């Protein structure tokens, strides 16, 4: 009997592994999905009746097991390095020249640079035993259970080898679209791109959730070639294929840098036809002994380089120009576009900044326009294509009156923006309410834009203090509101009363008073009472505070309406004292404490404000310009002159990834 069970279990393992391989690695299934499901359920049943037959590499682990409480930190046996970047032909030719000077003629392996997450998979005697994230390159996180849910990762390979194989886990576009559709239906924030979605999925503590996310993987390197016959990258990839791993089949071995450039040109134009995102091309010296000869720098191999695609540009049609009125009355034109896919997402709106820009670029409704988007950054209209202009397209003119309150719009001297200066303008008031509850202000979770609009339209809130007077009866009749949601919302409102003074100050939306200045003012004066007494001169004497800001704070606080608003808040016991830590008391982290740090370029995974906030908590001083005294520059995408300056001064520069890795290191 036991023998029979064991034999059936073995057979089920074999069949299920084979079907996974055919479907997910070879993209060539031999049986319908239903057959796989049937056998899997048979195995699940056997394992539940006879748990002793369940092994760590059973195909049933693909569905995910128990949720974990954390991911364990694990040191990599050999560090996971990164690659140097090339952005143009010149960079690539330099790379090629350096190599040829050192070792003469060489052949290159060109591979697609998959836009996902680097992972390292450990096999012992042919079984997948552990999978790690890259982490900071030295230490990664153990995400084995999540990786096991990726069918393209073999749980068992066809030779009893012990080694580590590395590659990129990613989310195919089709899975990404499905996931975001579902998220939108549940009114959850969709992922910005497949890369973030993949990262989010692999960080799920519950592998059953990761299993639903349909990730895949391409393997591209082995960290120890002892058991491999290969003497080139090309052969190594073939061996990985033979062992049952999924490698990318679009790779091409080429004879020289010109052929590398051809390959790049080809994929620059064809990347959209792939079912997954790539963000560049990786070029590697093919011969393994030549790789060794070139060696490594501290951070990356000298024998490889990553060519990064430029920010993607696409053409679409400008359907309309919509105007939005910000909290300070600035009227911003937004392009409404024929939806188009660019840099991993579908774009239907883009910023047009201001009227001058629309005229300078002569952008007209109906035009074909070029849109640019890099990573997660808000798309921009670059220019319009005049040759394709329809006959009836007329130049665009901004209205003379506010589209919300019909008050005349003014152009303040020295500013390009048009502004509605009516303090009672509804659009501005609503924006002000939205700002008040936003994360860096009072951070009232669940009080979203739609709810605020509804409450405003129903006369339930007219100013920010009204938020604290809301009752269950006010909220329940709103669309998509249930008892539970109302309860959560009221408790979030209640909780926000305890916020420190700087949140309130920032939330009030005093002109020119940003997050940072709010923090400085709150920390320095301690309470709103004390602030009422501070003079303009006193404010100006604060480092980095100009007259405009000083005057703005004083005028604001003098205003009788504002005084009553503050009283109204006070009656509901909204805290008006500084509760935070004083900068001098911050213990911080030695890596950052008292360091002067500049953030530049566009960060993908957090806003610059969030990064600055975090750094300040570690005791760092975040400043705006790079000087000789700057200790560190953290540079996101498209960093410009600040980065150049940092390079000139020899200042340490970190990428966003370097920064995130350090954050992870510290917070764990
Ligand atoms: S080779 C020593 N090949 O790009 C590092 N990397 O910094 C060897 N990537 O972290 C990396 N596709 O996550 C290599 N075909 C490919 C790749 C690839 C994507 C990622 C990888 C690495 C980053 C480069």
């Amino acid at each position: 009997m036991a023998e029979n069970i064991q034999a059936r279990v073995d057979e089920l393992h074999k069949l299920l592994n084979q079907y996974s391989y055919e479907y997910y690695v070879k993209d060539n299934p031999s049986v319908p999905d239903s057959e796989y499901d049937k056998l899997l359920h048979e195995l699940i049943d056997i394992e539940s009746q006879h748990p002793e037959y369940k092994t760590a590499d059973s195909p049933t682990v693909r569905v995910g097991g128990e949720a974990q409480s954390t991911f364990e930190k694990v040191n990599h046996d050999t560090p996971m390095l990164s690659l140097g970047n090339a952005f143009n032909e010149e960079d690539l030719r330099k790379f090629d020249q350096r190599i040829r000077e050192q070792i003469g003629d060489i052949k290159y392996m060109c591979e697609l640079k998959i836009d996902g997450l680097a992972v390292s998979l450990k096999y012992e005697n042919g079984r997948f035993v552990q999978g790690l994230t890259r982490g900071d390159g030295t230490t990664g996180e153990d995400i084995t259970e999540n990786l096991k849910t990726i069918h393209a990762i073999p749980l068992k390979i066809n030779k009893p080898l012990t080694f580590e194989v590395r590659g990129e886990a990613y989310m195919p576009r089709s899975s990404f679209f499905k996931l975001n559709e579902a998220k939108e239906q549940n009114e959850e924030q969709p992922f910005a791109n497949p890369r973030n979605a993949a990262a989010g999925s692999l960080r799920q503590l519950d592998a059953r959730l990761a299993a639903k996310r349909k990730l895949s993987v391409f393997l591209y390197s082995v960290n120890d070639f002892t058991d491999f016959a290969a003497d080139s990258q090309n052969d190594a990839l073939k061996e990985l294929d033979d062992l049952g791993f999924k490698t990318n089949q679009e790779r091409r071995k080429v004879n020289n840098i010109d052929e590398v450039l051809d390959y790049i040109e080809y994929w620059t134009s064809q990347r959209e036809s792939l079912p997954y995102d790539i963000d560049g091309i990786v070029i590697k010296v093919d011969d393994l002994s030549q790789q060794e000869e070139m060696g490594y720098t501290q951070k990356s191999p000298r024998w490889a380089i990553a060519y990064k695609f430029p920010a993607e540009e696409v053409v679409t049609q400008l359907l309309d120009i919509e105007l939005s009125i910000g909290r300070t009355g600035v009227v911003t034109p937004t392009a409404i576009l024929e939806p188009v896919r660019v840099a991993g997402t579908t774009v239907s709106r883009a910023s047009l900044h201001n009227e001058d820009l629309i005229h300078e670029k002569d952008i007209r409704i109906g035009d074909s326009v070029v849109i640019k988007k890099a990573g997660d950054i808000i798309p921009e209209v670059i220019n319009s294509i005049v040759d394709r202009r329809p006959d009836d397209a007329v130049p665009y003119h901004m209205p003379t009156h506010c589209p919300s309150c019909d008050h005349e719009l003014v152009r303040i001297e020295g500013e390009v923006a048009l502004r509605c200066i009516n303090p009672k303008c509804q659009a501005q008031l609503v924006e002000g309410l939205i700002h008040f509850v936003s994360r860096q202000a009072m951070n009232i979770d669940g009080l979203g834009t739609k709810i605020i609009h509804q409450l405003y339209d129903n006369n339930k809130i007219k100013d920010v203090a009204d938020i604290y007077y809301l009752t269950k009866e006010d909220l329940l009749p709103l669309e998509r509101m249930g008892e539970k949601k109302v309860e959560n919302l009221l408790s979030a409102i209640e909780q926000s009363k305890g916020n420190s003074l700087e949140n309130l100050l920032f939330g009030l939306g005093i002109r020119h008073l940003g997050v940072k200045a709010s923090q400085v003012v709150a920390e320095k004066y301690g309470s709103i009472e004390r602030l009422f007494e501070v003079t303009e001169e006193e404010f100006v004497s604060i480092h980095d505070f100009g007259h405009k800001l000083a005057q703005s704070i004083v005028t604001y606080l003098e205003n009788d309406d504002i005084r009553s608003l503050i009283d109204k808040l006070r009656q509901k016991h909204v805290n008006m004292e500084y509760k935070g830590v004083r900068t001098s008391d911050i213990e911080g982290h030695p890596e950052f404490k008292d360091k002067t740090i500049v953030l530049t370029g566009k960060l993908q995974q957090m806003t610059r404000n969030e990064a600055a906030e975090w750094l300040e908590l570690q005791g760092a001083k975040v400043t705006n310009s790079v000087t000789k005294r700057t200790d560190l520059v953290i540079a996101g995408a498209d960093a410009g002159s600040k980065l150049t300056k940092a390079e000139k001064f020899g200042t340490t520069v970190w990428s966003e990834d370097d920064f995130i890795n350090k954050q992870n290191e510290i917070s764990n």
Side-chain angles (χ1 to χ4, degrees):
M1 168 70 180
E3 267 165 36
N4 282 345
I5 298 176
Q6 187 62 57
R8 184 60 184 158
V9 166
D10 288 347
E11 186 171 20
L12 288 170
H13 278 209
K14 199 170 139 248
L15 287 172
L16 288 166
N17 284 336
Q18 180 196 329
Y19 297 154
S20 271
Y21 174 74
E22 288 169 351
Y23 188 103
Y24 292 98
V25 179
K26 288 285 144 197
D27 205 4
N28 186 18
S30 64
V31 292
D33 292 2
S34 55
E35 178 67 14
Y36 180 91
D37 291 343
K38 197 181 94 197
L39 298 183
L40 183 68
H41 280 108
E42 186 185 338
L43 185 56
I44 291 175
D45 283 348
I46 297 179
E47 288 178 358
S48 70
Q49 281 169 32
H50 310 279
E52 64 276 21
Y53 290 98
K54 188 172 165 79
T55 57
D57 63 359
S58 164
T60 57
V61 300
R62 301 278 194 206
V63 296
E66 298 279 290
Q68 294 169 256
S69 53
T70 53
F71 295 117
E72 206 189 322
K73 292 254 158 192
V74 180
N75 279 343
H76 292 294
D77 289 343
T78 47
M80 286 183 83
L81 303 177
S82 63
L83 292 175
N85 288 329
F87 295 99
N88 49 42
E89 180 174 340
E90 191 190 336
D91 295 347
L92 290 163
R93 290 203 182 273
K94 269 195 204 143
F95 164 75
D96 174 57
Q97 195 184 353
R98 208 174 32 198
I99 293 176
R100 281 189 297 112
E101 273 166 12
Q102 195 170 332
I103 44 181
D105 261 2
I106 30 108
K107 296 201 189 315
Y108 290 114
M109 172 56 83
C110 298
E111 294 171 21
L112 301 182
K113 186 170 185 303
I114 313 299
D115 199 6
L117 273 94
V119 291
S120 189
L121 314 177
K122 196 182 258 183
Y123 285 78
E124 273 172 17
N125 300 317
R127 284 167 205 273
F128 175 48
V129 291
Q130 188 176 59
L132 306 178
T133 61
R134 178 173 182 277
D136 62 0
T138 310
T139 311
E141 281 181 323
D142 184 336
I143 51 164
T144 313
E145 293 313 311
N146 286 339
L147 289 171
K148 280 180 179 173
T149 70
I150 302 181
H151 283 260
I153 295 179
L155 300 170
K156 208 158 41 184
I157 53 173
N158 49 28
K159 271 191 198 165
L161 298 183
T162 294
F163 75 125
E164 230 171 282
V165 56
R166 289 176 176 173
E168 197 84 352
Y170 68 94
M171 183 177 283
R173 280 189 195 148
S174 54
S175 315
F176 169 71
F177 289 136
K178 267 194 214 128
L179 174 61
N180 266 1
E181 239 167 62
K183 281 200 164 263
E184 266 161 33
Q185 261 168 20
N186 291 334
E187 288 190 46
E188 288 172 48
Q189 183 75 21
F191 283 111
N193 52 45
R195 179 183 199 274
N196 289 3
S201 308
L202 287 177
R203 299 204 105 268
Q204 294 285 350
L205 287 162
D206 185 345
R208 280 166 300 193
L209 294 176
K212 296 204 175 97
R213 297 288 180 83
K214 307 291 173 220
L215 302 174
S216 191
V217 73
F218 285 121
L219 284 319
Y220 50 66
S221 76
V222 178
N223 74 336
D224 174 4
F225 283 98
T226 319
D227 291 320
F228 279 65
D231 50 21
S232 68
Q233 169 73 1
N234 195 23
D235 291 347
L237 290 173
K238 277 190 207 145
E239 271 186 77
L240 285 178
D241 281 338
D242 293 343
L243 286 171
F245 289 104
K246 183 170 164 192
T247 66
N248 190 281
Q249 301 300 315
E250 314 297 353
R251 62 180 179 262
R252 192 195 297 168
K253 184 172 169 176
V254 301
N255 295 307
N256 52 48
I257 196 73
D258 287 317
E259 289 182 15
V260 167
L261 293 167
D262 290 344
Y263 181 87
I264 289 178
E265 193 183 312
Y266 178 79
W267 282 110
T268 303
S269 69
Q270 294 303 312
R271 58 191 283 211
E272 276 297 309
S273 65
L274 292 165
Y276 44 84
D277 280 0
I278 58 172
D279 60 341
I281 302 293
V282 181
I283 300 116
K284 304 174 182 175
V285 168
D286 188 49
D287 186 294
L288 296 181
S289 57
Q290 288 178 335
Q291 285 187 1
E292 220 164 286
E293 216 179 316
M294 288 300 301
Y296 296 82
T297 68
Q298 271 294 316
K299 279 170 62 176
S300 50
R302 289 204 181 84
W303 46 264
I305 198 161
Y307 168 79
K308 292 276 188 76
F309 290 130
E312 204 184 330
E313 294 186 1
V314 294
V315 176
T316 186
Q317 214 194 359
L318 177 61
L319 302 176
D320 198 3
I321 293 177
E322 210 176 80
L323 299 170
S324 58
I325 298 134
R327 137 180 95 82
T328 60
V330 173
V331 182
T332 315
T334 300
I336 307 299
L337 306 164
E338 179 66 41
V340 62
R341 229 187 99 86
V342 50
T345 42
T346 303
V347 167
S348 54
R349 300 165 75 84
S351 173
L352 282 169
H353 301 291
N354 55 57
E355 186 177 18
D356 285 2
L357 190 121
I358 299 177
H359 290 163
E360 248 165 56
K361 299 189 171 174
D362 187 19
I363 293 168
R364 303 185 187 181
I365 294 172
D367 275 355
S368 292
V369 288
V370 180
I371 307 297
K372 176 167 149 175
K373 183 169 179 278
D376 293 353
I377 297 136
I378 303 165
E380 265 182 283
V381 176
I382 305 299
N383 60 274
S384 68
I385 305 174
V386 182
D387 299 352
R388 296 201 211 160
R389 172 165 291 161
D391 296 338
D392 57 352
V394 285
Y396 180 77
H397 290 290
M398 292 280 270
T400 52
H401 289 75
C402 174
S404 167
C405 69
D406 210 31
H407 192 283
E408 196 177 352
L409 296 175
V410 296
R411 190 180 257 231
I412 300 199
E413 230 189 278
E415 286 186 20
V416 276
L418 274 183
R419 221 182 257 279
C420 170
I421 50 164
N422 173 13
K424 302 234 149 38
C425 170
Q426 294 205 0
Q428 287 178 55
L429 296 176
V430 173
E431 289 302 318
L433 291 165
I434 294 170
H435 170 77
F436 184 79
V437 304
S438 67
R439 217 153 51 86
Q440 292 188 303
M442 295 303 266
N443 191 17
I444 304 181
D445 220 17
L447 203 46
T449 314
K450 276 189 199 148
I451 301 183
I452 296 229
H453 274 280
Q454 287 182 58
L455 288 169
Y456 187 88
D457 293 344
N458 294 335
N459 271 324
K460 298 294 180 206
I461 47 173
K462 287 292 164 203
D463 61 40
V464 299
D466 289 335
I467 293 173
Y468 294 99
Y469 291 76
L470 285 170
T471 61
K472 195 172 161 187
E473 289 67 40
D474 293 330
L475 294 167
L476 256 182
L478 302 184
E479 274 169 48
R480 292 184 214 246
M481 240 336 144
E483 290 270 350
K484 186 80 201 139
K485 239 175 157 179
V486 169
E487 236 170 69
N488 289 342
L489 197 48
L490 287 173
S491 108
I493 292 173
E494 189 59 32
Q495 207 185 343
S496 78
K497 290 182 183 173
N499 286 342
S500 183
L501 176 61
E502 64 277 18
N503 298 86
L504 177 66
L505 282 179
F506 179 63
L508 289 172
I510 304 170
R511 188 79 61 86
H512 309 300
L513 188 74
V515 177
K516 219 162 148 183
S518 302
Q519 168 72 34
V520 172
V521 167
E523 183 178 338
K524 190 169 168 74
Y525 299 105
S527 74
I528 205 123
E529 282 310 318
R530 172 77 187 89
L531 275 176
F532 286 139
E533 296 156 12
V534 181
T535 62
E536 204 178 310
E537 288 66 41
E538 257 182 277
F539 280 128
V540 171
S541 70
I542 304 177
H543 177 68
D544 269 353
F545 274 44
H547 276 285
K548 243 169 109 179
L549 171 57
Q551 195 183 30
S552 166
I553 308 174
V554 172
T555 322
Y556 181 89
L557 293 174
E558 268 171 11
N559 186 315
D560 282 344
D561 289 344
I562 300 301
R563 296 274 175 141
S564 356
L565 181 74
I566 287 171
D567 279 342
K568 200 166 151 190
L569 286 163
R570 193 180 284 114
Q571 276 167 30
K572 283 291 174 182
H573 310 291
V574 173
N575 171 59
M576 298 189 188
E577 313 250 312
Y578 181 64
K579 287 181 157 182
V581 200
R582 305 200 177 250
T583 317
S584 47
D585 298 341
I586 291 180
E587 224 181 82
H589 189 273
E591 183 104 25
F592 297 106
K593 170 113 174 127
D594 298 328
K595 295 278 161 61
T596 306
I597 301 178
V598 173
L599 292 159
T600 182
K602 291 157 186 160
L603 301 181
Q604 317 266 322
Q605 308 204 19
M606 65 189 100
T607 64
R608 279 223 294 257
N609 278 338
E610 285 166 346
E613 216 170 78
W614 187 90
L615 286 165
E616 278 160 0
L617 272 176
Q618 305 305 327
K621 198 173 144 210
V622 179
T623 62
N624 265 327
S625 48
V626 177
T627 69
K628 283 199 185 108
R629 283 185 302 278
T630 307
D631 296 299
L632 170 68
V633 170
I634 298 173
D638 296 331
S641 61
K642 290 184 193 176
L643 180 57
T644 325
K645 235 177 174 176
E647 279 162 359
K648 201 175 94 198
F649 293 138
T651 315
T652 308
V653 177
W654 285 2
S655 68
E656 182 175 359
D657 281 348
D658 295 336
F659 178 48
I660 290 172
N661 290 334
K662 187 57 79 179
Q663 280 186 313
N664 290 340
E665 214 178 282
I666 288 178
S667 57
N668 283 289

